[in-house]
């Protein structure tokens, strides 16, 4: 490193006037050594109060040499003692004195001086950044400080012995050289200086290899150089060494080994013939390039693999491919290299270069690589005739023949080989055909080009048929066909056209005319190809029109004749009468039929349908048919009183009201009611009546119902009286009604009941074993054979006493009404 040499006088002055005073008492003083050289010591002391001067003395410890002293005034605290012996021990004493020279205080210390100043024998430079110095060693020196100075720049180094080398210098520069010896006390003064100059620096050398057997060396010229020395030899030490002394640059060495590392050294000579620093370079020569290249082409991946025969591991080989519009390369060593993404349809020129750090060497020959042909373009597909496809394409360079692959969406694949640019294929309806065309050469197959999809027209539904037929609707069903995305169903009667579009395989054609012949076609449709208009049609007829009932004629109470109009031929008609609980039908190919065995009291809704091979019509509008009301199946006549009869009957279907009629030669009794019973008054007792009932429906239809005859009961007797025959017997008497009748007497008392039935010709009856003193109720009723006793004859109450002997006397108590 470089530093400046200090100005010692300047430093000393600063120390003398800026160091702080040391504390001391009137009787104490301290002393210390500030610096030491070979012949001087620098002493520092503390002030003493009252001291007017200070005396410093250096006395040799072992030598007989006299002491050395110096005196300083009271303002000074540092002084110097000179003319001492090098590398010698001294006792240094400081005395503080007053104005009379009396010593107020003193102090001393032991100090060694620095070694003797060295003498330089010689100074020289072997490298452009250093100077080496030699000197005679001095006694007592532990090390030496070597300094090189140029102007304000200096560099120094410390060594233990001679010689010493100062580094960090500038080339071709003169320096002032000094040496100082060093021991434990300090450094000596500098030695007498010597001048020394550093040598020339090494040139800035450039080495290139322009061929596999040559090296060219060049450098920057130095104005201080007289000439240059250049040497070249193999770095491994083999072979010969080439040496050249030149004054100009560059210089070329030939006949070298290819791919070999050489060591090149260059130094400059100055005018004194002193060599400068060596500049050393290692440089390899360019490699030798092989002339054999193996090429493997992968047509499927459009890549080529290159292998250099005789390749060396230390050499890189670059394979370059060039064509009219493409240039690519790959680099390798001993392994093969691969170039991918080659273009189809091109012829490549292949060149080889071997390279190392020095550069590259081209092979003395080139090769040719043909790529695969490109995929054919301009592919077109036509279907001039249904079922036949024509595939055509543009011609491709480098192609020798073509293969067309056609795959349908059911997985079946076919292909066609040709040297032409057209191929023919059969096709079926409803298929998607995927087509690709490849070109081939001896090198291989072209890349995959255009992939075309061609969809043939969807197949036509051929099994369509009506699943439902009505007077205004044809529901057509069919099986789904290949390729169809939607279906269009069309019905045409020559005047009107009905259309139906749907994705389902069923279509309802509605709004049609009944009993009409339609031309029906189901077309298939795909978004790609549209509608297949070549589908065949079928004739279908709608169901017959609904008949209209024109009249209903009553033949008898259970048979009705139904008439309707007809608009269809070859048609059967079914008439249905539908009641709440009954259903009757009749069938005819004419325009009428009879409904038989219709039940009474029923209301039917009558409708007719037409049945033809094409289908069944809708029912006609219903017409109401009502049969006569039924007669009650059961009728009972019960006499309530002698002149009132209750007639009751079972409820009959279809009846709303009833009219009951009892007729006799003496007159008739009649009632009209909503109920199923009726009270008839003004009945004559003991009279035979004919019984009839008229059933009337809600609409006024009537049925006359005749039942068996009815005879009213005999008349009740009159003049009933009670006579006591004895205390235990009574006679009841009456007047019989007209006509012969048997009577029964019933006597009811609190102590017993009694009955008596006399012969027909007798109008009294005796009852014995009765109790007197009781009240009896007496009823005399006519007896009707096999019928219950009449309960409507009047009752009389008598009180039978036991007192007295008068016979025949009873007391009449009153008359009780019929219960």
């Amino acid at each position: 490193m470089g530093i400046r040499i200090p100005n010692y006088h300047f430093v000393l002055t600063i120390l003398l006037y800026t160091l702080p005073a040391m504390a001391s008492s009137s009787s104490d003083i301290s002393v210390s050594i500030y610096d030491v050289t070979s012949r001087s010591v620098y002493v520092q002391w503390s002030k003493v109060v009252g001291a007017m001067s200070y005396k410093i003395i250096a006395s040799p410890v072992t030598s007989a040499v006299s002491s050395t002293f110096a005196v300083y005034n009271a303002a000074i605290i540092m002084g110097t003692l000179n003319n001492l012996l090098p590398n010698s021990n001294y006792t240094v004493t400081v005395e503080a004195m007053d104005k009379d020279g009396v010593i107020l205080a003193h102090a001393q210390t032991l100090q060694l001086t620095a070694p003797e100043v060295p003498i330089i024998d010689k100074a020289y430079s072997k490298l452009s950044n250093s100077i080496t110095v030699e000197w005679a060693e001095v006694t007592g020196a532990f090390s030496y400080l070597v300094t090189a100075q140029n102007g304000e720049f200096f560099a120094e180094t410390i060594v233990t012995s001679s010689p010493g080398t100062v580094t960090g210098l500038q080339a071709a520069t003169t320096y002032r050289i000094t040496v100082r010896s060093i021991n434990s006390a300090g450094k000596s003064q500098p030695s007498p200086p010597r001048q020394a100059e550093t040598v020339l620096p090494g040139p800035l050398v450039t080495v290139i290899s322009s061929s596999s057997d040559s090296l060219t060396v060049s450098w920057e010229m130095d104005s201080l150089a007289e000439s240059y020395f250049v040497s070249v030899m193999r770095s491994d030490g083999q072979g010969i060494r080439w040496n050249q002394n030149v004054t100009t640059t560059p210089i070329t060495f030939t006949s070298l080994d290819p791919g070999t590392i050489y060591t090149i050294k260059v130094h400059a000579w100055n005018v004194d013939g002193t060599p400068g620093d060596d500049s050393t370079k290692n440089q390899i020569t360019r490699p030798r390039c092989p002339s054999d290249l193996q090429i493997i082409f992968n047509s499927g991946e459009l890549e080529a693999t290159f292998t250099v025969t005789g390749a060396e591991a230390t050499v890189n080989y670059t394979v370059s491919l060039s064509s009219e519009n493409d240039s690519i390369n790959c680099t390798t060593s001993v392994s093969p290299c691969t170039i991918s993404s080659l273009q189809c349809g091109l012829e490549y020129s292949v060149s080889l270069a071997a390279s190392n750090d020095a550069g590259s060497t081209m092979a003395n020959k080139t090769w040719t690589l043909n790529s695969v042909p490109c995929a054919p373009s301009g592919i077109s597909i036509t279907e001039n005739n249904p079922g036949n496809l024509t595939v055509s394409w543009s011609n491709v360079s480098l192609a020798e023949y073509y293969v067309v692959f056609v795959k349908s969406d059911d997985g079946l694949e076919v292909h066609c080989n040709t040297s032409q640019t057209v191929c023919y294929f059969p096709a079926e309806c409803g298929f998607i055909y995927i087509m690709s065309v490849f070109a081939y050469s001896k090198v291989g197959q072209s890349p995959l080009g255009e992939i075309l999809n061609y969809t043939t027209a969807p197949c036509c539904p051929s099994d369509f048929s009506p699943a439902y037929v009505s007077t205004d609707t044809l529901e057509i069903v069919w099986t789904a066909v290949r390729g169809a995305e939607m279906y269009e169903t069309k019905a045409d009667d020559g005047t009107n056209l009905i259309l139906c579009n749907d994705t389902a395989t069923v279509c309802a054609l509605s709004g049609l005319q009944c009993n009409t012949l339609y031309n029906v076609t189901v077309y298939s449709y795909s978004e790609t190809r549209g509608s297949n208009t070549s589908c065949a049609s079928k004739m279908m007829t709608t169901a017959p029109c609904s008949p209209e009932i024109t009249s209903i004629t009553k033949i008898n109470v259970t048979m009705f004749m139904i008439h309707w109009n007809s608009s269809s031929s070859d048609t059967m008609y079914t008439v249905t009468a539908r009641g709440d609980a009954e259903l009757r039908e009749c069938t005819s190919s004419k325009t009428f039929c009879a409904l038989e065995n219709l039940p009474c009291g029923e209301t039917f809704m009558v409708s007719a349908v037409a049945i033809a091979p094409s289908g069944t019509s809708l029912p006609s509008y219903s017409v109401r048919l009502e049969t006569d009301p039924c007669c009650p199946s059961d009728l009972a006549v019960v006499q309530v009183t002698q002149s009132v009869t209750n007639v009751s009957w079972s409820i009959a279907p279809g009846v709303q009201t009833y009219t009951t009629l009892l007729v006799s030669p003496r007159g008739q009794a009649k009632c009209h009611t909503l109920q199923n019973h009726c009270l008839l008054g003004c009945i004559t007792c003991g009279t035979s009546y004919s019984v009839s009932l008229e059933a009337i429906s809600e609409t006024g239809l009537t049925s006359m119902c005749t039942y068996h005859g009815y005879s009213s009961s005999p008349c009740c007797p009159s003049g009933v009286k009670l006579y006591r025959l004895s205390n235990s017997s009574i006679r009841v008497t009456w007047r019989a009604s007209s006509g012969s009748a048997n009577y029964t007497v019933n006597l009811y008392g609190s102590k017993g009941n009694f009955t008596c039935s006399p012969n027909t010709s007798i109008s009294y009856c005796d009852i014995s074993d009765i109790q007197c003193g009781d009240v009896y109720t007496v009823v005399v009723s006519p007896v009707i054979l096999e019928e219950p006793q009449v309960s409507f004859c009047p009752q009389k109450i008598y009180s039978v006493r036991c007192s007295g002997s008068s016979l025949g006397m009873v007391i009449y108590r009153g008359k009780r009404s019929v219960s």
Side-chain angles (χ1 to χ4, degrees):
M1 62 176 288
I3 61 174
R4 290 180 179 273
I5 298 175
N7 189 324
Y8 288 104
H9 298 290
F10 177 78
V11 172
L12 178 60
T13 303
I14 294 299
L15 291 172
L16 289 175
Y17 291 99
T18 62
L19 288 174
M22 298 182 182
S24 65
S25 65
S26 61
S27 60
D28 293 330
I29 188 172
S30 62
V31 63
S32 61
I33 305 302
Y34 179 74
D35 194 14
V36 176
T37 66
S38 301
R39 298 183 184 277
S40 303
V41 294
Y42 297 86
V43 183
Q44 184 177 358
W45 59 87
S46 61
K47 286 189 175 185
V48 176
V49 178
M52 299 301 291
S53 62
Y54 296 92
K55 182 179 181 181
I56 56 175
I57 305 166
S59 304
V61 175
T62 59
S63 174
V65 178
S66 60
S67 300
T68 300
F69 71 93
V71 177
Y72 294 91
N73 61 36
I76 305 301
I77 60 171
M78 179 180 288
T80 304
L81 291 175
N82 298 314
N83 301 319
L84 304 181
L85 297 177
N87 197 42
S88 298
N89 284 312
Y90 282 88
T91 300
V92 179
T93 304
V94 178
E95 295 176 344
M97 296 179 291
D98 61 11
K99 63 181 180 176
D100 298 326
V102 177
I103 298 172
L104 301 177
H106 73 279
Q108 64 182 20
T109 184
L110 189 64
Q111 180 60 48
L112 176 67
T113 57
E116 182 64 84
V117 176
I119 302 300
I120 297 174
D121 292 333
K122 58 181 177 179
Y124 53 87
S125 174
K126 290 185 177 180
L127 297 175
S128 62
N129 67 341
S130 67
I131 292 176
T132 300
V133 184
E134 295 181 6
W135 64 89
E137 296 187 359
V138 296
T139 303
F142 297 156
S143 59
Y144 300 88
L145 176 66
V146 182
T147 303
Q149 182 178 2
N150 179 275
E152 293 186 353
F153 173 84
F154 73 92
E156 58 185 17
T157 184
I158 296 177
V159 297
T160 58
S161 62
S162 176
T165 300
V166 182
T167 61
L169 308 180
Q170 295 181 355
T173 303
T174 300
Y175 288 90
R176 180 176 179 272
I177 308 299
T178 59
V179 179
R180 300 174 70 180
S181 59
I182 304 171
N183 66 3
S184 60
K187 304 181 189 69
S188 71
Q189 284 85 358
S191 67
R194 281 286 188 97
Q195 300 292 325
E197 184 180 2
T198 52
V199 300
L200 293 173
L204 183 60
V205 177
T206 301
V207 183
I208 62 172
S209 176
S210 57
S211 66
S212 61
D213 65 346
S214 68
L215 290 174
T216 298
V217 184
S218 62
W219 58 90
E220 292 184 4
M221 298 291 288
D222 192 332
S223 61
L224 300 178
E226 186 71 17
S227 62
Y228 296 90
F229 174 78
V230 183
S231 71
V232 176
M233 72 173 299
R234 287 175 58 128
S235 296
D236 58 6
Q238 298 180 11
I240 64 174
R241 175 173 179 169
W242 289 268
N243 295 324
Q244 291 285 342
N245 281 315
V246 294
T247 58
T248 60
T249 182
I251 181 172
T252 300
F253 296 87
T254 59
S255 301
L256 305 181
D257 298 329
T260 302
I261 299 175
Y262 284 87
T263 300
I264 299 94
K265 290 187 177 182
V266 180
H267 65 254
W269 301 91
N270 62 12
V271 293
D272 298 330
T274 303
D277 288 347
D278 278 335
S279 290
T280 303
K281 285 278 188 177
N282 288 328
Q283 178 63 47
I284 190 170
T285 54
R286 294 191 182 193
R288 179 181 63 254
C289 186
S291 59
D292 191 6
L293 180 65
Q294 181 183 358
I295 303 174
I296 299 175
F297 181 70
N298 184 343
S299 61
E301 300 294 334
L302 278 180
E303 63 182 21
T305 301
F306 303 90
T307 304
V308 180
T309 304
E312 300 178 21
T314 58
V315 179
N316 290 326
Y317 299 92
T318 300
V319 180
S320 299
L321 277 68
S322 61
S323 65
E324 294 179 358
N325 55 0
D326 197 13
S327 179
I328 47 180
N329 60 67
C330 71
T331 300
T332 184
S333 182
V334 294
S335 301
C337 77
T338 299
I339 295 179
S340 303
S341 303
L342 297 178
Q343 294 187 20
C344 60
L346 293 179
E347 182 179 278
Y348 289 93
S349 175
V350 183
S351 60
L352 174 65
S355 63
N356 58 15
D357 293 340
S360 60
T361 304
M362 298 296 298
N364 55 11
K365 61 178 292 188
T366 60
W367 295 263
T368 299
L369 172 63
N370 285 332
S371 181
V372 296
C374 291
S377 61
I379 303 173
S380 65
I381 304 171
T382 57
E383 187 179 6
N384 296 327
N385 298 315
N388 294 298
L389 298 181
T390 300
V391 184
S392 60
W393 57 91
S394 301
N395 195 29
V396 177
S397 62
L398 301 181
E400 298 174 7
Y401 65 97
Y402 304 91
V403 177
V404 183
F405 293 92
V406 178
K407 186 175 183 179
S408 58
D409 52 7
D410 64 350
L412 182 65
E413 185 176 61
V414 294
H415 65 275
C416 161
N417 288 2
T418 180
S419 59
Q420 306 299 317
T421 58
V422 64
C423 264
Y424 304 96
F425 294 93
E428 297 182 32
C429 62
F431 274 110
I432 298 175
Y433 290 94
I434 303 173
M435 304 183 186
S436 56
V437 182
F438 292 90
Y440 287 84
S441 68
K442 293 182 178 64
V443 178
Q445 171 188 296
S446 69
L448 177 63
E450 293 181 78
I451 298 178
L452 274 70
N453 291 345
Y454 183 83
T455 303
T456 55
C459 297
C460 289
S462 59
D463 62 343
F464 66 93
S465 61
Y468 169 77
V469 179
S470 71
T471 55
D472 63 350
T473 301
L474 288 174
E475 183 181 350
I476 312 300
V477 296
W478 59 90
T479 304
V481 295
R482 190 173 55 241
E485 299 173 0
M486 191 170 68
Y487 301 92
E488 181 180 68
T489 307
K490 182 186 297 182
D492 188 358
D493 64 355
T495 303
N496 299 310
L497 185 65
I498 307 298
L499 296 177
C500 168
N501 294 321
D502 205 333
T503 57
T505 57
V506 59
C507 186
L509 295 167
S510 57
L512 307 181
Q513 298 296 321
C514 60
N515 194 37
T516 303
L517 182 64
Y518 284 90
N519 186 346
V520 179
T521 310
V522 179
Y523 299 100
S524 55
Y525 175 87
S526 69
E527 186 175 351
T528 305
R529 291 300 306 274
S531 181
N532 187 344
T533 58
S534 63
C535 299
S537 61
K538 294 182 181 180
M539 302 304 293
M540 298 181 186
T541 304
T542 53
C545 300
S546 299
E548 180 183 359
I549 297 176
T550 57
S551 65
I552 299 177
T553 304
K554 181 178 179 181
I555 305 303
N556 55 44
V557 293
T558 62
M559 179 185 295
F560 292 82
M561 187 66 69
I562 314 298
H563 297 266
W564 60 87
N565 58 11
S566 173
S567 60
S568 305
S569 60
D570 192 22
T571 304
M572 291 294 294
Y573 296 90
T574 297
V575 176
T576 302
R578 191 178 305 275
D580 292 336
E582 298 286 341
L583 181 69
R584 295 289 189 273
E585 289 183 346
C586 65
T587 302
S588 174
S589 60
K590 298 179 175 57
T591 59
F592 59 89
C593 72
L595 289 173
E596 300 178 345
N597 299 320
L598 298 182
C600 62
E602 188 78 31
T603 298
F604 294 91
M605 298 305 293
V606 180
S607 62
V609 294
I611 303 172
S614 60
T616 301
S617 73
L618 295 173
S620 68
Y621 294 117
S622 296
V623 178
R624 182 185 181 90
L625 186 155
E626 183 181 357
T627 58
D628 293 343
C630 296
C631 290
S633 57
D634 297 319
L635 185 139
V637 182
V638 176
Q639 192 161 349
V640 179
T641 67
Q642 192 166 268
S643 62
V644 177
T645 300
N646 181 48
V647 182
S648 62
W649 54 89
S650 61
I651 295 176
V655 182
Q656 185 183 47
T657 62
Y658 302 89
T659 300
T660 307
L661 183 65
L662 271 63
V663 179
S664 73
R666 296 183 180 182
Q668 64 178 14
K670 182 180 181 180
C671 75
H672 191 186
T673 181
L674 290 169
Q675 308 298 322
N676 64 334
H677 56 86
C678 185
L679 287 176
L680 296 174
C682 301
I683 297 299
T684 304
C685 57
T687 303
S688 294
Y689 290 88
S690 64
V691 180
S692 64
L693 183 144
E694 185 181 27
I696 306 169
S697 71
E698 185 178 359
T699 59
L701 295 179
T702 61
S703 293
M704 292 302 299
C705 309
T706 303
Y707 297 91
H708 57 79
Y710 164 72
S711 295
S712 60
S713 65
C715 296
C716 293
S718 60
V720 177
K721 293 181 179 181
L722 186 64
Y723 296 95
R724 189 178 70 170
L725 298 179
S726 64
N727 286 337
S728 60
S729 64
I730 289 177
R731 172 172 288 183
V732 180
T733 64
W734 59 86
R735 285 193 306 269
S737 61
S738 60
S740 60
N742 292 328
Y743 295 92
T744 298
V745 177
N746 290 292
L747 187 65
Y748 307 101
S750 62
K751 298 178 181 180
N753 298 326
F754 304 92
T755 301
C756 168
S757 297
N759 291 330
T760 304
S761 59
I762 298 174
S763 58
Y764 64 92
C765 184
D766 294 334
I767 300 173
S768 58
D769 299 325
I770 67 169
Q771 297 292 325
C772 62
D774 197 0
V775 176
Y776 291 92
T777 299
V778 180
V779 179
V780 181
S781 304
V783 177
I784 303 173
L785 184 64
E786 298 180 359
E787 287 191 14
Q789 181 180 333
V790 173
S791 61
F792 52 76
C793 288
Q795 299 175 357
K796 289 187 176 182
I797 300 173
Y798 291 91
S799 177
V800 179
R801 296 181 178 181
C802 293
S803 61
S805 59
S806 299
L807 298 177
M809 290 185 67
V810 295
I811 298 174
Y812 176 62
R813 297 289 299 270
K815 187 177 181 181
R816 177 177 293 177
S817 60
V818 179
S819 62

